[in-house]
Amino acid sequence: MSDLFRKILCCLLLMCAATAQASISKIDEPVTLQLNQSFQIAIPGVCSTVLKDQFNLVELRINGVLTQLKPLDCNPDPAINKLSFFLPEQDGSNTAAQREALMGSPWRELKNNFRRDLPFSVSFSFNNGAGNSVLATGTFRYQILQPAYIVVGFGFIFAVAYALLRLGRESGLLRDTGTAAIAKRSYSLARVQMAWWFFIVFASYVWLWIVGEGIPDISTQALGLMGIGSATYLTAAGVDSSKQNQFGESKGFFDDIMSDAQGLALYRFQLLVFNILFGVLFFVYVIQHVSMPDFDGSILTLLGMSSGTYAGFKIPEQVPKPSDASASSGTVIVTSTSSVSSNGSSTTTT
């Protein structure tokens, strides 16, 4: 009975505090906020009014957004009490709203060295439906990007981009099969599409790791886009193998991926444009919102239709014939004829 009386008394005290503006603690100095670290909010007398079994009723709002953070402890300092919180990694889909409130669009804070000042408020939610009582307000100073994560993450992205460009130009990574030297073979649109979506999803994933400092989730849309690229390449490779296609020498990157034996092909141009468009939109969304986009299903259908059209045209498609130089390197048939001169000697010509 005494415990119930104590809880009722605490609620009455907080309700009285809610009606008095002077009771709200206003913190002048910004509170430093970092991922995977604890932080404390100083609120006079909070340890005596909010019991440990009532910590789940404390609400922390950052930039106007209600977070999932709850107090872990209360430091009963004689001068001023402090509620202790812990900010975990922001890498899960269940913290999307909280992550958005913390990070916003990180590149907009470049002029502030990727640092944001965010208003916060701590309130107590009465379990009897009497509303909320604001206990304290102030400002968080949050460092969005850490230098170590920037160096490691962007170093990894640039290394993979350089490897794709270098190997794509000097090896058969992005090229068709053929009798010409590897560095002179024509580029394959299906292989380029597969490499494009691989890099987009990879770079997006690393960026989410840089910002969230944890293991991010991969959206089903990202898996679907990579799956479309892989399926397109497998289909095109199967068609080329069944027709025993032998491609000629390269005429240039864009000429190779947009042309067949008849010249520029509309179905190739369509596939290229859609891949570039949605790839750029995908990456820009990840940078701005610090999460992978949830594209409408019709976008995946559109890319799937474009890839299917490309694969369908591969069946009757004719490939460019090898150049004369390549043909001249084949087997040379030598014929000889003999003639008899007037003096009886024999002469042979080839």
Side-chain angles (χ1 to χ4, degrees):
M1 190 69 180
S2 59
D3 185 56
L4 178 61
F5 177 76
R6 185 176 56 177
K7 291 182 179 180
I8 294 175
L9 181 61
C10 291
C11 291
L12 290 175
L13 290 174
L14 289 173
M15 290 176 65
C16 293
T19 60
Q21 183 68 22
S23 64
I24 299 177
S25 176
K26 295 183 179 180
I27 303 173
D28 297 328
E29 293 294 328
V31 178
T32 302
L33 195 64
Q34 292 186 5
L35 294 178
N36 294 316
Q37 292 189 13
S38 60
F39 60 96
Q40 294 181 330
I41 300 176
I43 305 175
V46 68
C47 294
S48 60
T49 56
V50 179
L51 305 179
K52 286 190 175 181
D53 58 355
Q54 295 177 317
F55 281 172
N56 62 322
L57 301 178
V58 176
E59 297 179 347
L60 175 61
R61 297 179 183 271
I62 301 177
N63 206 16
V65 176
L66 178 62
T67 68
Q68 301 176 2
L69 305 179
K70 298 296 181 181
L72 302 178
D73 196 6
C74 190
N75 181 16
D77 188 280
I80 190 168
N81 296 168
K82 296 180 180 180
L83 285 177
S84 297
F85 295 82
F86 180 79
L87 183 63
E89 300 169 344
Q90 304 296 298
D91 56 1
S93 57
N94 60 332
T95 60
Q98 181 175 297
R99 183 174 59 244
E100 182 77 15
L102 283 172
M103 302 167 184
S105 298
W107 287 111
R108 295 180 181 176
E109 308 301 331
L110 177 61
K111 59 181 179 299
N112 299 323
N113 295 322
F114 298 107
R115 187 182 296 113
R116 299 186 74 194
D117 287 344
L118 304 169
F120 75 85
S121 65
V122 180
S123 60
F124 185 84
S125 176
F126 298 102
N127 52 12
N128 60 357
N132 292 350
S133 172
V134 178
L135 303 179
T137 59
T139 303
F140 283 138
R141 180 155 292 172
Y142 177 63
Q143 185 70 40
I144 304 175
L145 301 180
Q146 300 295 332
Y149 283 84
I150 295 176
V151 172
V152 174
F154 278 97
F156 203 13
I157 292 175
F158 290 145
V160 172
Y162 175 78
L164 280 176
L165 293 175
R166 182 73 178 269
L167 295 176
R169 185 177 66 251
E170 299 180 359
S171 71
L173 187 70
L174 303 178
R175 297 178 184 269
D176 289 310
T177 58
T179 56
I182 292 180
K184 295 183 178 180
R185 293 178 187 172
S186 59
Y187 288 94
S188 168
L189 177 57
R191 296 192 186 197
V192 170
Q193 179 190 22
M194 184 177 178
W196 169 254
W197 282 113
F198 157 73
F199 180 74
I200 290 293
V201 174
F202 167 78
S204 300
Y205 191 83
V206 174
W207 168 251
L208 295 181
W209 172 79
I210 292 173
V211 179
E213 299 183 15
I215 301 177
D217 295 334
I218 296 183
S219 66
T220 55
Q221 304 287 354
L223 295 177
L225 292 168
M226 291 189 65
I228 290 175
S230 300
T232 304
Y233 170 60
L234 287 173
T235 304
V239 171
D240 292 337
S241 177
S242 63
K243 296 170 61 177
Q244 297 182 349
N245 286 340
Q246 293 294 321
F247 296 87
E249 294 185 1
S250 174
K251 297 180 181 179
F253 177 77
F254 287 102
D255 198 4
D256 290 343
I257 64 177
M258 291 197 298
S259 304
D260 55 17
Q262 285 74 39
L264 293 176
L266 179 59
Y267 64 92
R268 287 174 171 263
F269 180 75
Q270 171 185 280
L271 182 60
L272 179 66
V273 169
F274 281 146
N275 276 280
I276 293 177
L277 173 63
F278 294 125
V280 171
L281 292 178
F282 186 99
F283 194 61
V284 169
Y285 184 94
V286 171
I287 292 177
Q288 291 183 344
H289 299 276
V290 200
S291 63
M292 289 194 179
D294 188 13
F295 282 151
D296 185 77
S298 58
I299 293 180
L300 293 180
T301 302
L302 179 60
L303 282 175
M305 290 175 58
S306 298
S307 298
T309 303
Y310 166 76
F313 273 102
K314 287 285 291 183
I315 298 175
E317 182 184 65
Q318 296 180 1
V319 299
K321 296 181 179 179
S323 62
D324 296 337
S326 300
S328 62
S329 62
T331 304
V332 178
I333 302 176
V334 179
T335 58
S336 61
T337 57
S338 299
S339 60
V340 180
S341 62
S342 57
N343 58 4
S345 61
S346 176
T347 304
T348 304
T349 60
T350 61

